[in-house]
Amino acid sequence: MNQKKEYLDRCVELAAEAYQFLKNSTVKDRAAFMYAVADKIEKLGPELIETANQESALPFPRLEGEKGRTIGQWRSYADAITTGLYTEARIDLANPEKGKNDIRKYSIGIGPVVVFGASNFPFAFSTAGGDTASAIAAGCPVIVKGHSGHQKTSSIMAAVILETVQEFGWPEGVFGHVLGNEVEGTNTKIGAYLVGHELIKAVGFTGSYWGGKSLFDIANQRKEPIPVFAEMGSINPVFAFSHILEENPEQLAKDYAASLTLGVGQFCTNPGLFIAVKGDGLNKFKKALQEAVIGISPAKMLNQGIYDHFEKNKSLLSNQPSVEVLSESNTLAENGQGRPTVVHTNAKNFLENEILSEEVFGPFGLLIEADTYEEVEKIAKELNGQLTITFAGTSADVKEHLNIFNIIKDKAGRLLFNGMPTGVEVVYAMQHGGPFPSSTDPRFTSVGPDSVKRFVRPLSFQNWPNEFLPEELKNENTLGIQRIVNGSSTQNPINSQS
Amino acid sequence: MNQKKEYLDRCVELAAEAYQFLKNSTVKDRAAFMYAVADKIEKLGPELIETANQESALPFPRLEGEKGRTIGQWRSYADAITTGLYTEARIDLANPEKGKNDIRKYSIGIGPVVVFGASNFPFAFSTAGGDTASAIAAGCPVIVKGHSGHQKTSSIMAAVILETVQEFGWPEGVFGHVLGNEVEGTNTKIGAYLVGHELIKAVGFTGSYWGGKSLFDIANQRKEPIPVFAEMGSINPVFAFSHILEENPEQLAKDYAASLTLGVGQFCTNPGLFIAVKGDGLNKFKKALQEAVIGISPAKMLNQGIYDHFEKNKSLLSNQPSVEVLSESNTLAENGQGRPTVVHTNAKNFLENEILSEEVFGPFGLLIEADTYEEVEKIAKELNGQLTITFAGTSADVKEHLNIFNIIKDKAGRLLFNGMPTGVEVVYAMQHGGPFPSSTDPRFTSVGPDSVKRFVRPLSFQNWPNEFLPEELKNENTLGIQRIVNGSSTQNPINSQS
């Protein structure tokens, strides 16, 4: 399915018009809208889950959980903006004796945002997902390019948002929904066209490195470059150390196998790489891992394209020199199913062969058996940027390997002490995003209320009469938001007589 | 003067080593360092001002003022980081019943930063200027590429910082200072080489559009793209409305002429464009402006290159069709001196000729005489992004022209209600930076404590034992910083028994 250029232009123009409305809305206005969207998603009947299941092959309980998470995103981001945390209001009052002006600054939505739905999260990272919720929270209209893998699901979610726009009497361009592949009569992808459009001011994306990087390049080659927040995946290394491997190798193996194969391995935070030094502990871990993986059944992947990529990349890595299969599910996979597989090699081989650092999206793990901790340190140093890195160890392990702890701080957005990286909580302290190439901009998260920060810019007003200031900056502080007034944080109004 | 590649590589490697030290420093450690730098600058003898005067031709009082401002930047950014405002600590405590992990996030320095000195602010936007102060505040080592226009001044300031590094026993790479033009034996500029170096993680720049944009392009074409904060200038339009023109055209003209020629017009916020509708008020304004400009003497510009550019661009704009000189200083300028000049044209001509929107760096103004407010609105809509826009008017003017007020919100980082844009206060509420092409990234300011935000990235810790967390995230909160704990802002420690 293709779309006419005129149709896309109209979508963008409507979004630009709606921005003129949204930029003068308050955090309270937008929070009310977001609560209404959340309520509507909550009330959607079984059709939503059934449709998503048909389109994505994701099981019902997972989809129910993801629906709950999606609703939670709208609500928690709405809660967060009403505190003023992302308004970042700063007021420096005039001091004529010192020649100081009255200057007031706040964060305003950056403009229309294009959001790309992700294949692996039809709710939470797609049409009504976190990028859309955070952009609207910031005061930006959104145009979603729905993912081809779940167009019906996308349309159900779009209808919910559009219905809310209507009920609130907001301009229709607050939300736009575009499906399809190319701009009619051209070879230009719809996504590329939208990102290149001069009225678009930012981009949210979750997907492959090549997809994200190509949008990033388009955005930076525009006459007016714009920010692209692309979360592009990661191999999420797990570094396991001697004490933990000696103390409880079986539990670690079970946890690792479970995380590696959760959701058929189709998570950005899937722990595709496991590094440890040879020894008794590692031998026990390997044995337990073999047993765990053997017993995990293959399951249907999101779509044929993702399955084909999985098979291709799995065999590419598996067939590299000195790479051997450690364990596979003992059930053969049907076409379209991902078969859990773990391969292993030595550290020297890993360090010499860049292909072994490639992400294999699916239930595939690579175990590196190092001879020494010097090799482990070298691997840590050579790593590309990651969304997460896990330090599997005891406190004694950390103390013995502070050098490695220090190195991995530079390589990831989130560092785990034990546990597994799958399961990204929607909280203030979450960082989902990491050094390039795991994302295009490690300075921002795409999960948690802080994701709102991606879509604002500061605007200062100097010596404006109170009546013309945005509500967020007026003396009265009717919104009750936290503001920094003359350097101190306060919710108090400003006494205009002072 | 050129530099050997090996020398530059060594500077960058030292900076990368120093980052490993700085990233584990606390806001208190860095604030102490910054206060010490400020104290040392304060104690510098008359040599500093004399040298800067010789190199930049800027007068003594201006340089004294700029020195004070520079000291104030180090101190106020140090004050600001100790509150925790830029640490952005967020702590979500574990809740095992709900399956919630302990997750803690804070902002860590992004890595080694390259800073480019600006010609027009030898102190405040150069070697020991705001970019350097904010990067160190964030926990980043800095390599300054000193401006060729004031190398001796740059060296004095560099020596102050290097001396502080030594006194504190910090690694020498915390601060590096590079002078020169090209990498020896190549055609590569030193700045381009540094920005392209894989160990460099961000760039601060103040200067021309072409200078900033070329660094931006290099940074985005790297294997790992990095952020470039380039403040690239602006024509800072002043929109004047009928009531103010009728009420007090003489004062407005005086203020405008003074701002336009302040510092020989060599400010990023110089108001190079003035727009008003024809009428009695504007006629009075023009007459007063003519008188004001005639009486302002030419003065020596920063250097020959800047003077040559000024003359070239001034005559380019002045010689466009339908552009006429309105007023010039009645004193002829010597070689190297900028002669205050205002030209005028009509709105139609301005809208049709892009050259008239070019910045002329120096004491040069372009007055647009519009026939109608529809034309003024059109000019507002067509404007490029600006650092500042000034609304010269009364409250009645704002009420009559809310449409224009609304448009200019999208076009600038700072909106003034009367007054003039020169004079950028170093306060929390300052926004110095605006939509492209006035800066490469309108989401950040290069003046005020918020400039620290440019040089950090968030890092999350999941389930880490308290002892291994950075001081900023430990239960005890010995730094006494403001943190968001379970969604609420607090300075309290966390009761580890709870």
Side-chain angles (χ1 to χ4, degrees):
Chain A
M1 184 172 65
N2 294 334
Q3 295 287 358
K4 284 198 166 65
K5 180 180 170 303
E6 292 70 25
Y7 171 75
L8 299 172
D9 288 343
R10 184 72 189 133
C11 282
V12 176
E13 284 154 17
L14 285 172
E17 282 173 31
Y19 172 66
Q20 294 304 320
F21 167 83
L22 275 188
K23 85 178 189 197
N24 290 313
S25 68
T26 68
V27 286
K28 279 210 173 146
D29 299 332
R30 299 197 295 277
F33 178 88
M34 295 170 70
Y35 294 132
V37 170
D39 291 347
K40 278 183 196 295
I41 296 175
E42 200 164 39
K43 281 181 197 139
L44 284 173
E47 185 203 353
L48 176 73
I49 305 289
E50 283 160 15
T51 307
N53 168 264
Q54 281 159 21
E55 290 190 316
S56 71
L58 291 170
F60 279 67
R62 148 71 198 268
L63 289 168
E64 285 290 357
E66 192 185 327
K67 180 184 168 189
R69 173 196 171 136
T70 305
I71 294 163
Q73 287 176 167
W74 285 92
R75 288 183 182 150
S76 64
Y77 300 179
D79 290 345
I81 59 170
T82 56
T83 65
L85 187 58
Y86 306 110
T87 305
E88 296 197 279
R90 282 99 158 87
I91 298 178
D92 289 288
L93 297 170
N95 187 337
E97 285 167 27
K98 292 189 178 172
K100 297 279 183 196
N101 293 291
D102 181 297
I103 310 182
R104 305 183 183 209
K105 177 166 75 170
Y106 83 136
S107 291
I108 190 170
I110 199 167
V113 174
V114 172
V115 167
F116 289 81
S119 64
N120 58 340
F121 277 90
F123 305 149
F125 284 86
S126 287
T127 312
D131 285 344
T132 300
S134 55
I136 289 179
C140 299
V142 172
I143 297 174
V144 168
K145 164 68 180 69
H147 196 278
S148 60
H150 46 74
Q151 300 197 347
K152 285 180 193 160
T153 307
S154 189
S155 297
I156 294 173
M157 286 302 205
V160 164
I161 305 177
L162 288 166
E163 198 182 291
T164 317
V165 170
Q166 278 204 327
E167 280 180 18
F168 273 66
W170 283 12
E172 58 173 317
V174 165
F175 182 78
H177 184 231
V178 176
L179 297 173
N181 185 25
E182 289 180 352
V183 184
E184 203 170 283
T186 74
N187 292 322
T188 307
K189 298 275 180 199
I190 287 171
Y193 182 76
L194 291 172
V195 171
H197 198 293
E198 64 171 349
L199 295 175
I200 295 299
K201 299 298 179 190
V203 179
F205 172 91
T206 302
S208 70
Y209 174 78
W210 296 109
K213 183 59 163 53
S214 71
L215 296 178
F216 177 83
D217 289 340
I218 291 168
N220 281 303
Q221 286 155 18
R222 289 165 47 122
K223 190 178 166 197
E224 177 194 2
I226 58 171
V228 172
F229 305 100
E231 191 268 89
M232 303 183 291
S234 169
I235 52 174
N236 305 294
V238 177
F239 288 87
F241 293 86
S242 59
H243 292 94
I244 200 89
L245 283 169
E246 281 152 21
E247 283 174 22
N248 204 347
E250 289 82 11
Q251 188 61 47
L252 182 58
K254 258 190 210 167
D255 293 347
Y256 180 68
S259 178
L260 188 71
T261 58
L262 186 72
V264 207
Q266 300 165 119
F267 289 109
C268 331
T269 53
N270 188 55
L273 188 67
F274 192 100
I275 304 112
V277 170
K278 286 174 187 162
D280 272 0
L282 182 57
N283 288 338
K284 284 181 200 155
F285 172 83
K286 280 164 66 181
K287 191 156 171 284
L289 184 62
Q290 282 177 315
E291 282 165 19
V293 171
I294 280 172
I296 300 170
S297 300
K300 200 171 173 198
M301 298 192 76
L302 289 159
N303 58 55
Q304 190 67 29
I306 283 180
Y307 168 75
D308 291 343
H309 267 102
F310 172 65
E311 284 297 324
K312 191 179 134 202
N313 292 333
K314 184 174 77 167
S315 65
L316 175 70
L317 264 76
S318 304
N319 291 319
Q320 295 300 305
S322 306
V323 174
E324 284 170 19
V325 172
L326 177 72
S327 183
E328 279 184 304
S329 167
N330 66 0
T331 313
L332 285 175
E334 294 170 21
N335 179 28
Q337 289 187 331
R339 184 179 179 189
T341 306
V342 176
V343 300
H344 63 145
T345 191
N346 60 49
K348 191 164 167 287
N349 193 32
F350 178 75
L351 286 165
E352 282 170 1
N353 186 346
E354 279 190 18
I355 291 171
L356 296 177
S357 292
E358 298 279 325
E359 182 181 6
V360 179
F361 190 73
F364 176 85
L366 170 61
L367 168 66
I368 309 296
E369 299 181 61
D371 287 321
T372 63
Y373 279 106
E374 285 68 40
E375 281 187 344
V376 174
E377 184 178 341
K378 191 143 194 235
I379 288 172
K381 273 191 184 152
E382 300 283 320
L383 277 179
N384 283 329
Q386 305 288 337
L387 294 173
T388 74
I389 294 179
T390 302
F391 190 109
T394 64
S395 285
D397 286 317
V398 185
K399 280 174 192 156
E400 283 171 28
H401 303 289
L402 285 173
N403 55 333
I404 294 174
F405 179 40
N406 212 37
I407 293 164
I408 61 177
K409 284 182 181 174
D410 299 344
K411 301 287 185 171
R414 178 165 55 112
L415 292 183
L416 293 88
F417 182 72
N418 298 312
M420 285 293 148
T422 43
V424 181
E425 293 181 33
V426 184
V427 291
Y428 277 106
M430 179 48 62
Q431 174 59 14
H432 191 64
F436 192 89
S438 70
S439 59
T440 46
D441 195 335
R443 296 172 299 156
F444 296 91
T445 180
S446 65
V447 174
D450 279 357
S451 61
V452 174
K453 288 162 66 178
R454 297 177 295 170
F455 301 116
V456 295
R457 72 174 178 96
L459 177 59
S460 283
F461 294 84
Q462 184 166 320
N463 293 334
W464 282 82
N466 194 56
E467 63 177 315
F468 300 119
L469 289 170
E471 204 58 34
E472 286 82 350
L473 294 176
K474 281 184 177 157
N475 292 333
E476 297 82 353
N477 194 17
T478 55
L479 298 167
I481 58 174
Q482 204 72 27
R483 312 191 290 189
I484 294 179
V485 178
N486 287 347
S488 298
S489 185
T490 176
Q491 277 180 289
N492 291 341
I494 289 159
N495 180 352
S496 56
Q497 306 306 316
S498 66
Chain B
M1 185 172 65
N2 293 335
Q3 296 288 358
K4 286 200 165 64
K5 179 180 171 301
E6 291 69 25
Y7 171 75
L8 299 172
D9 288 343
R10 184 71 190 135
C11 283
V12 176
E13 283 153 18
L14 285 172
E17 281 172 32
Y19 172 66
Q20 294 304 322
F21 167 82
L22 275 189
K23 84 177 190 198
N24 290 314
S25 68
T26 68
V27 286
K28 279 210 172 143
D29 299 332
R30 299 197 295 277
F33 178 89
M34 295 170 71
Y35 294 132
V37 170
D39 291 348
K40 278 183 196 295
I41 296 174
E42 201 164 38
K43 282 180 197 141
L44 284 173
E47 186 203 351
L48 176 73
I49 306 288
E50 283 160 15
T51 307
N53 168 263
Q54 281 158 20
E55 291 191 315
S56 71
L58 292 170
F60 279 67
R62 150 68 198 272
L63 289 168
E64 285 290 357
E66 192 185 326
K67 180 184 168 189
R69 175 198 170 133
T70 304
I71 294 162
Q73 286 176 169
W74 284 92
R75 288 184 180 149
S76 64
Y77 300 179
D79 291 345
I81 60 170
T82 55
T83 66
L85 187 58
Y86 307 110
T87 305
E88 296 198 280
R90 281 101 158 87
I91 298 177
D92 289 288
L93 297 170
N95 186 337
E97 286 167 25
K98 292 188 177 172
K100 297 279 185 197
N101 293 292
D102 182 295
I103 309 182
R104 305 182 183 210
K105 177 166 74 171
Y106 83 136
S107 291
I108 190 169
I110 199 166
V113 174
V114 172
V115 167
F116 290 80
S119 63
N120 59 338
F121 278 91
F123 306 149
F125 284 86
S126 287
T127 312
D131 285 344
T132 300
S134 55
I136 288 179
C140 300
V142 171
I143 296 174
V144 168
K145 164 68 181 70
H147 196 279
S148 59
H150 45 75
Q151 299 197 348
K152 285 179 194 160
T153 307
S154 189
S155 297
I156 295 173
M157 285 302 205
V160 164
I161 304 177
L162 288 166
E163 197 182 291
T164 317
V165 170
Q166 277 203 326
E167 280 181 18
F168 274 65
W170 285 12
E172 56 172 320
V174 165
F175 182 78
H177 185 229
V178 177
L179 297 173
N181 186 25
E182 288 181 352
V183 185
E184 203 171 283
T186 74
N187 291 322
T188 308
K189 297 274 181 201
I190 287 171
Y193 181 76
L194 291 172
V195 171
H197 198 293
E198 63 172 349
L199 295 175
I200 295 299
K201 300 299 178 187
V203 179
F205 172 91
T206 303
S208 70
Y209 174 78
W210 296 109
K213 183 60 163 54
S214 71
L215 296 178
F216 176 84
D217 289 341
I218 291 168
N220 281 301
Q221 285 155 18
R222 288 165 49 122
K223 190 177 165 198
E224 177 195 1
I226 57 172
V228 172
F229 305 100
E231 191 269 88
M232 304 182 291
S234 166
I235 52 174
N236 304 293
V238 177
F239 288 87
F241 294 85
S242 58
H243 292 94
I244 200 89
L245 284 169
E246 281 151 20
E247 283 174 21
N248 205 347
E250 288 81 10
Q251 188 62 47
L252 183 58
K254 257 191 211 168
D255 293 346
Y256 180 69
S259 178
L260 189 71
T261 57
L262 186 71
V264 207
Q266 301 165 119
F267 289 109
C268 332
T269 53
N270 188 54
L273 188 66
F274 192 101
I275 304 114
V277 170
K278 286 172 187 164
D280 274 359
L282 182 57
N283 288 337
K284 285 181 198 153
F285 171 85
K286 281 164 66 180
K287 192 157 170 286
L289 183 62
Q290 281 177 316
E291 283 166 18
V293 171
I294 280 172
I296 300 171
S297 300
K300 199 170 173 199
M301 298 191 76
L302 289 160
N303 57 53
Q304 191 66 31
I306 284 181
Y307 168 75
D308 291 343
H309 267 101
F310 172 66
E311 284 297 320
K312 191 180 136 202
N313 292 333
K314 184 174 78 166
S315 64
L316 176 70
L317 264 76
S318 303
N319 291 320
Q320 295 300 306
S322 306
V323 173
E324 285 170 18
V325 172
L326 177 71
S327 183
E328 279 183 306
S329 168
N330 64 2
T331 312
L332 284 175
E334 294 170 20
N335 179 28
Q337 290 187 330
R339 184 180 180 189
T341 306
V342 176
V343 301
H344 62 146
T345 190
N346 61 49
K348 192 164 166 287
N349 192 31
F350 178 76
L351 287 165
E352 282 171 359
N353 186 347
E354 278 190 18
I355 291 171
L356 296 176
S357 293
E358 298 281 325
E359 182 181 5
V360 179
F361 191 74
F364 177 85
L366 170 60
L367 167 65
I368 309 296
E369 300 181 60
D371 288 321
T372 62
Y373 278 106
E374 285 68 40
E375 281 187 345
V376 174
E377 184 178 341
K378 192 144 193 236
I379 288 172
K381 273 191 185 153
E382 301 282 321
L383 278 179
N384 284 328
Q386 306 287 338
L387 294 173
T388 74
I389 295 179
T390 302
F391 190 109
T394 65
S395 284
D397 286 318
V398 186
K399 281 176 190 154
E400 282 171 27
H401 303 289
L402 284 173
N403 55 333
I404 293 173
F405 180 40
N406 211 38
I407 293 164
I408 61 177
K409 284 182 181 174
D410 298 343
K411 300 288 185 171
R414 178 165 55 113
L415 293 182
L416 293 89
F417 182 71
N418 297 311
M420 285 293 148
T422 44
V424 180
E425 293 181 32
V426 184
V427 291
Y428 278 106
M430 179 48 62
Q431 174 60 15
H432 191 64
F436 191 90
S438 69
S439 59
T440 45
D441 194 335
R443 296 172 298 157
F444 296 90
T445 180
S446 64
V447 174
D450 279 357
S451 60
V452 175
K453 288 163 67 177
R454 297 177 296 170
F455 301 116
V456 294
R457 72 174 178 96
L459 177 60
S460 283
F461 294 85
Q462 184 166 319
N463 293 333
W464 281 83
N466 194 56
E467 63 177 315
F468 300 119
L469 289 170
E471 204 58 34
E472 286 82 351
L473 294 177
K474 281 183 178 159
N475 291 333
E476 296 82 354
N477 194 17
T478 55
L479 298 167
I481 57 175
Q482 204 71 27
R483 313 192 290 188
I484 294 180
V485 178
N486 286 348
S488 298
S489 185
T490 177
Q491 276 181 288
N492 292 339
I494 289 159
N495 180 352
S496 56
Q497 306 306 317
S498 67

